[in-house]
């Protein structure tokens, strides 16, 4: 939610920053801007619209050359989308330029206070308040670090900042509280960014800022301070990604690339978490003890991760017999918890930076509960603040629509549930080994679903002009219906709704007519017969069924206008095999409607606001 990048070194800052912004565009894309320091003057250019608007403007009327600057891509919170509200924001006397990711809760109060001191504001943003507050404090304190310390103490809310200081041509300042920031350590150059993807082209050596830390980033050095202004030592890490991981390669969109990466992601997790046909997550004795001691699990997550949690509930209750609830993070933190120390909270997140899910984990810890994170991005806030972490190893996911990260989350939850079931004595060694044989065969089967790409594209051609689509699933594939509907609506803007198939007759059936496409997810499973009955109810009211079913299933095929056959897998793996065609359906519907599926309107990849 907003991308920040800052550069100081020997290269042309404008090109480093604009390339960095393109890598961070997934974090927000309603406006973009850049500030360069040129002969003790800060020069700002900003434009509403996607980053190419800014790039075009820079090409038409170039800025003077510089080797130091900051830049920003915005997801608007305070103030509409326009050039003026875009970042960077300059302080009144032009001493500081600030870019910001987060929200300042007390900005109205600070703005009023600054107004009384003679400051006026040109934008509606909370960020301009930060620039002016820092300038105000600097002019009174005289020392930069003291002004910064005073400023961060006055700010309430969340903020990652990059700051350019007119009076020092070799300094960009990074500040972190509740929004991510990382410093890349190069050769005679250093770079600051919201996400390492913007750093990868320059260096793999990075230092992650923790909450309450400040970085003074210069061409040949980086110093770190806490919010009291005390110098601190930080350890550098080496990034485990390649540049290609953050590139589209031959694919027209990241979403398609990431859908196609799913067999590889599944294989990676099999390599890491399965040995000799046994899941090995609980070979970590602390994790094993933790799970064996708990009598209840609450999963808290948002969006697609919430849907993965729903599959997890089904598996944990069915196989490991542990009562599991799943809650939206945004609800979980705002209610009274009726829990005891034998309740485990599981936070699921791709980014590890979702503000609602972070709140949920902090809320759980405040109540004395232990938290296990199931997270994709290492070094993320959720990974670092949780008591235990299992990584989902999906690699960098850039497309706003979560695809490979979902499949990886469901796979990890499956392995965890089955291993726990075995450790508890509910699954024999033979049963577990048999299930792992199926798990090992899964990547190849997902490849076969990907080979249906053109067929699914044709089905998308039949539905892309529609205004509503309904998704039905039952049992372990009810979450698949919810996730299929979320994918379609977020990337194509077609209204889509997911229902438990059995609920149809209690109301939603009234929506069915001969204009409504109904996607029925009904692979062979214990819910099969009942879902066939629900499909009959739809068909007899004129509904046009698109079915996702097991190869060879003639009964469902006869009820369907379009069929998507997936290879046969045992029930516990059906949520993985059935979601893949629905991701492709959503992707093609978006493309046919002329929508960029990687950057749907109003959304951003990493939701760092509440
Ligand atoms: O990074 P997280 O998994 O915590 O993100 C949660 C949601 O914001 C995310 O899944 C969102 O719903 C996606 N856009 C869905 O495709």
């Amino acid at each position: 939610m907003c991308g920040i990048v800052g550069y100081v070194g020997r290269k042309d800052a404008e090109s480093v920053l604009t390339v960095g912004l393109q890598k961070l565009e997934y974090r927000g894309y309603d406006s973009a801007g850049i500030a360069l320091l040129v002969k003790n003057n800060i020069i700002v250019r900003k434009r509403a619209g996607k980053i190419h608007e800014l790039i075009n403007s820079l090409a038409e009327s170039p800025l003077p050359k510089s080797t130091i600057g900051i830049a920003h891509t915005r997801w608007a919170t305070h103030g509409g989308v326009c050039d003026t509200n875009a970042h960077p924001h300059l302080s009144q006397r032009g001493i500081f330029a600030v870019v910001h990711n987060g929200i300042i809760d007390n900005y109205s109060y600070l703005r009023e206070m600054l107004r009384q001191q003679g400051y006026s504001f040109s934008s509606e943003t909370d960020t301009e308040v930060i620039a002016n507050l820092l300038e105000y404090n600097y002019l009174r304190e005289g020392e930069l670090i003291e002004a910064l310390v005073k400023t961060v103490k006055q700010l309430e809310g969340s903020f990652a900042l990059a700051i350019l200081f007119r009076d020092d041509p070799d300094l960009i300042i990074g500040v972190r509280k509740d929004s991510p920031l990382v410093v890349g350590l190069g050769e005679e150059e250093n770079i600051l960014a919201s996400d390492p993807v913007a750093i990868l082209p320059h260096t793999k050596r990075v230092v992650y800022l923790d909450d309450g830390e400040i970085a003074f980033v210069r061409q040949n050095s980086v110093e770190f301070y806490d919010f009291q202004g005390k110098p601190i030592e930080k350890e550098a890490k080496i990034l485990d990604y390649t540049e290609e991981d953050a590139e589209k390669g031959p694919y027209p969109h990241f979403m398609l690339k990431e859908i196609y990466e799913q067999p590889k992601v599944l294989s990676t997790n099999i390599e890491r978490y399965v040995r000799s046909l046994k899941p090995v997550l609980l070979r970590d004795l602390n994790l094993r003890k933790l799970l064996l001691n708990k009598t209840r699990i609450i999963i808290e997550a948002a969006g697609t991760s919430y849907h993965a949690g729903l599959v997890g509930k089904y598996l944990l209750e069915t196989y490991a017999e542990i009562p599991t609830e799943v809650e939206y993070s945004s609800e979980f933190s705002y209610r009274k918890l009726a829990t005891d120390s034998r309740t485990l909270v599981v936070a699921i997140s791709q980014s590890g930076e979702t503000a609602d899910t972070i709140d949920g984990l902090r809320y759980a810890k405040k109540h004395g509960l232990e938290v296990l994170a199931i997270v994709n991005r290492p070094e993320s806030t959720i990974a670092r603040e949780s008591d235990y972490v299992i990584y989902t190893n999906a690699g960098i996911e850039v497309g706003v629509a979560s695809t490979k990260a979902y499949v990886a989350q469901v796979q990890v939850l499956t392995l965890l549930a089955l291993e726990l079931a075995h450790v508890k004595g509910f699954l024999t060694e033979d049963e577990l080994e048999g299930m792992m044989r199926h798990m090992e065969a899964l990547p190849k089967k997902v490849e076969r679903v990907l080979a249906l790409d053109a067929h699914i594209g044709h089905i998308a051609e039949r539905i892309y002009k529609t205004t509503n689509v309904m998704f039905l699933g039952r049992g372990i594939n009810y979450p698949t219906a919810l996730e299929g509907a979320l994918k379609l609506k977020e990337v194509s803007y077609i209204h889509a709704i997911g229902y438990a198939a059995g609920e149809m007759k209690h109301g939603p059936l009234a929506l069915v007519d001969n204009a409504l496409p109904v996607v029925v997810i009904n692979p062979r499973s214990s819910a099969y017969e009942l879902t066939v009955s629900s499909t009959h109810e739809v068909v007899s009211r004129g509904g046009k069924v698109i079915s996702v079913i097991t190869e060879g299933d003639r009964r469902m095929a006869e009820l369907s206008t379009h069929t998507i056959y997936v290879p046969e897998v045992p029930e516990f793996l059906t949520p993985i095999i059935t979601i893949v065609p629905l991701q492709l359906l959503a992707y093609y519907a978006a493309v046919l409607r002329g929508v960029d599926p990687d950057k749907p309107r109003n959304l951003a990849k990493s939701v760092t606001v509440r």
Side-chain angles (χ1 to χ4, degrees):
M1 216 122 235
C2 298
I4 288 176
V5 55
Y7 177 79
V8 53
R10 54 204 154 83
K11 297 184 191 137
D12 174 41
E14 181 188 305
S15 72
V16 173
L17 292 172
T18 47
V19 170
L21 283 186
Q22 284 168 319
K23 305 263 180 214
L24 296 179
E25 196 168 15
Y26 73 89
R27 300 181 65 86
Y29 33 82
D30 54 41
S31 43
I34 183 169
L36 300 177
L37 191 54
V38 183
K39 295 193 188 128
N40 289 95
N41 240 321
I42 299 176
I43 300 171
V44 174
R45 175 74 54 82
K46 44 198 199 174
R47 286 289 176 271
K50 293 197 173 142
I51 287 160
H52 63 83
E53 301 292 342
L54 174 71
I55 293 175
N56 291 347
S57 152
L58 292 168
E60 271 165 30
S61 128
L63 295 177
K65 292 282 170 222
S66 170
T67 54
I68 175 168
I70 56 175
H72 186 262
T73 178
R74 181 172 187 237
W75 186 87
T77 57
H78 293 64
V81 177
C82 60
D83 290 356
T84 319
N85 287 337
H87 303 205
H89 289 281
L90 266 183
S91 61
Q92 191 155 291
R93 291 175 181 75
I95 300 177
F96 296 100
V98 175
V99 296
H100 168 213
N101 173 24
I103 288 183
I104 304 303
D105 298 329
N106 60 339
Y107 88 105
S108 307
Y109 163 79
L110 292 169
R111 181 137 89 162
E112 200 36 50
M113 187 275 279
L114 288 163
R115 272 210 176 106
Q116 285 169 17
Q117 301 302 323
Y119 275 88
S120 58
F121 294 83
S122 52
S123 78
E124 302 157 286
T125 64
D126 49 351
T127 308
E128 196 181 3
V129 170
I130 305 175
N132 282 332
L133 183 65
L134 179 58
E135 181 179 277
Y136 173 73
N137 287 330
Y138 176 64
L139 292 175
R140 286 164 70 99
E141 300 290 332
E143 282 296 324
L144 181 60
I145 189 72
E146 277 157 26
L148 277 163
V149 166
K150 184 148 192 205
T151 304
V152 294
K153 282 191 182 139
Q154 288 172 287
L155 297 176
E156 288 169 16
S158 61
F159 46 92
L161 309 173
I163 303 170
L164 205 53
F165 178 34
R166 185 194 64 188
D167 299 343
D168 191 335
D170 183 34
L171 175 66
I172 43 176
I173 302 157
V175 180
R176 177 189 162 139
K177 180 174 175 272
D178 288 341
S179 287
L181 207 54
V182 54
V183 181
L185 308 172
E187 292 289 316
E188 290 178 54
E189 61 177 1
N190 289 309
I191 184 159
L192 184 71
S194 305
D195 184 319
V197 290
I199 291 174
L200 266 174
H202 308 278
T203 176
K204 285 192 166 188
R205 275 188 75 222
V206 298
V207 179
Y208 289 89
L209 262 72
D210 285 303
D211 276 346
E213 292 181 351
I214 298 172
F216 273 28
V217 183
R218 301 180 186 279
Q219 179 173 3
N220 291 307
S221 68
V222 185
E223 290 153 12
F224 299 95
Y225 300 89
D226 63 18
F227 273 11
Q228 313 320 315
K230 219 171 79 220
I232 47 174
E233 294 295 319
K234 301 275 298 171
E235 203 186 313
K237 309 236 153 109
I238 304 297
L239 291 174
D240 190 18
Y241 302 118
T242 65
E243 246 192 275
E244 293 75 60
D245 292 335
E247 301 285 344
K248 271 192 272 210
Y251 294 91
H253 296 103
F254 278 108
M255 184 177 175
L256 192 63
K257 175 191 178 221
E258 288 157 5
I259 291 172
Y260 268 80
E261 281 174 343
Q262 294 180 116
K264 193 179 87 195
V265 170
L266 291 166
S267 300
T268 301
N269 278 327
I270 292 166
E271 264 164 43
R272 294 200 183 168
Y273 296 144
V274 184
R275 301 247 191 303
S276 313
L277 295 175
K278 300 227 179 43
V280 292
L281 290 161
L282 300 182
R283 287 199 186 164
D284 173 339
L285 292 182
N286 292 327
L287 196 56
R288 174 186 290 236
K289 200 167 141 215
L290 176 83
L291 280 152
L292 288 176
N293 274 335
K294 300 297 175 185
T295 51
R296 178 182 170 205
I297 290 177
I298 301 178
I299 294 175
E300 59 108 4
T304 287
S305 299
Y306 170 82
H307 297 153
L310 291 175
V311 179
K313 167 186 167 71
Y314 188 97
L315 294 162
L316 285 161
E317 292 191 337
T318 304
Y319 295 102
E321 298 188 17
I322 178 158
T324 304
E325 293 146 57
V326 191
E327 297 218 20
Y328 287 121
S329 303
S330 53
E331 292 292 324
F332 173 71
S333 323
Y334 297 93
R335 68 170 181 81
K336 191 172 179 313
L337 289 185
T339 50
D340 61 24
S341 61
R342 301 198 72 187
T343 303
L344 173 69
V345 171
V346 176
I348 306 179
S349 175
Q350 185 286 127
S351 60
E353 299 294 348
T354 299
D356 290 330
T357 313
I358 295 172
D359 284 352
L361 103 79
R362 289 180 183 163
Y363 188 65
K365 292 187 86 169
K366 201 171 108 196
H367 283 78
L369 302 177
E370 287 174 291
V371 179
L372 164 66
I374 297 184
V375 171
N376 193 37
R377 295 297 290 270
E379 300 299 336
S380 58
T381 304
I382 294 177
R384 286 189 287 164
E385 290 194 15
S386 298
D387 301 297
Y388 304 86
V389 187
I390 301 176
Y391 288 109
T392 50
N393 307 308
I396 294 173
E397 189 179 67
V398 178
V400 164
S402 184
T403 53
K404 62 175 181 171
Y406 174 73
V407 155
Q409 288 166 342
V410 173
Q411 184 188 26
V412 163
L413 283 160
T414 307
L415 292 171
L416 187 67
L418 298 184
E419 190 177 1
L420 186 60
H422 175 59
V423 170
K424 284 176 144 187
F426 301 137
L427 279 179
T428 65
E429 195 136 324
D430 279 357
E431 284 168 332
L432 185 66
E433 286 184 9
M435 292 169 109
M436 286 307 104
R437 269 195 196 92
H438 287 292
M439 177 67 86
E440 292 192 347
L442 189 61
K444 285 265 172 276
K445 292 188 176 179
V446 170
E447 276 173 18
R448 277 166 54 197
V449 180
L450 294 172
L452 302 175
D453 183 305
H455 170 61
I456 295 167
H458 288 310
I459 298 175
E461 281 170 19
R462 302 300 160 100
I463 64 154
Y464 82 97
K465 288 188 182 150
T466 192
T467 46
N468 292 298
V469 178
M470 188 180 278
F471 288 72
L472 300 179
R474 191 163 183 144
I476 198 170
N477 280 294
Y478 163 48
T480 314
L482 298 179
E483 175 60 9
L486 176 62
K487 281 297 84 89
L488 185 68
K489 79 181 105 177
E490 78 176 319
V491 300
S492 75
Y493 315 155
I494 297 172
H495 176 254
I497 187 143
Y499 276 111
E503 276 297 294
M504 280 294 282
K505 54 192 180 294
H506 299 293
L509 201 55
L511 295 170
V512 175
D513 60 17
N514 58 11
L516 184 75
V518 181
V519 178
V520 181
I521 301 122
N522 193 20
R524 293 238 185 264
S525 74
S526 53
Y528 178 80
E529 288 300 338
L530 286 170
T531 311
V532 171
S533 303
S534 303
T535 313
H536 274 290
E537 290 161 16
V538 170
V539 172
S540 54
R541 277 139 189 108
K544 297 280 171 286
V545 169
I546 299 166
S547 58
V548 179
I549 51 180
T550 306
E551 283 169 351
D553 180 355
R554 298 293 318 148
R555 275 176 71 203
M556 276 298 294
E558 275 163 22
L559 293 172
S560 311
T561 309
H562 304 286
T563 49
I564 302 171
Y565 282 120
V566 296
E568 177 141 28
V569 294
E571 181 162 346
F572 74 98
L573 291 177
T574 54
I576 295 180
I577 204 90
T578 54
I579 194 58
V580 178
L582 302 184
Q583 297 165 342
L584 285 169
L585 189 68
Y587 171 77
Y588 284 113
V591 171
L592 287 162
R593 286 168 73 96
V595 176
D596 177 354
D598 289 342
K599 302 184 197 83
R601 68 184 175 207
N602 307 336
L603 300 180
K605 180 75 183 159
S606 185
V607 186
T608 55
V609 295
R610 277 155 194 103

